[in-house]
Amino acid sequence: MSIPLTPRQQSRFRIALAIAGVLFAAIIVGFVVFLPPSREAPLPDFIDRVAPLGTVPVGDTSPVVVAIDPGYTIELFVDQLQVPDAEIAVGPDGYEWAPAADRRRSAWNAGIHTVAVRWKGASGEGEYRWSFEAG
């Protein structure tokens, strides 16, 4: 048998529950707002770096760079469209591709873009994805 609460005790209980609910909602909103939008997976050992990365917007024709160890071949996908091999250059920093007037994409649209690189080589086959923002 429980002891009935007085109306004053019921009001205090309801206020305490409301405050707890508001605090919980504020914590959830804080995590959503202040955590970075994505946490990229760590790079495989044989990929030295990829660029661009992060949420600092890049220019209209900034290149996508994949620095990978010798002996690997890649396929590059930008926003789920495969980049033709003829458009991918091999430079001192690795494989590079950038939008240009004579290509399927002439410039980066403002927003988030996703890049995927598929590789074949000594370690087998695999894929790595990352995102960046163009502004």
Side-chain angles (χ1 to χ4, degrees), residues 78-79 81 87 97-109 113:
V78 176
D79 295 332
L81 295 174
E87 293 181 8
W97 178 84
D102 61 339
R103 297 185 175 165
R104 193 181 311 177
R105 182 182 298 262
S106 60
W108 296 117
N109 300 329
H113 297 276

Side-chain angles (χ1 to χ4, degrees), residues 11-84:
S11 293
R12 285 183 181 169
F13 183 70
R14 287 184 183 132
I15 290 171
L17 280 178
I19 290 171
V22 168
L23 287 174
F24 180 73
I27 290 170
I28 298 300
V29 168
F31 275 113
V32 169
V33 170
F34 294 111
L35 279 181
S38 66
R39 301 253 183 212
E40 306 297 343
L43 286 172
D45 291 339
F46 49 87
I47 296 181
D48 297 326
R49 75 179 184 94
V50 294
L53 278 174
T55 57
V56 176
V58 299
D60 289 351
T61 58
S62 295
V64 170
V65 177
V66 179
I68 193 166
D69 289 349
Y72 286 87
T73 59
I74 70 163
E75 292 178 328
L76 194 61
F77 296 83
V78 176
D79 295 332
Q80 299 179 344
L81 295 174
Q82 185 170 5
V83 175

Side-chain angles (χ1 to χ4, degrees), residues 1-7 9-10:
M1 181 172 202
S2 65
I3 300 172
L5 297 175
T6 66
Q9 290 172 325
Q10 288 176 355

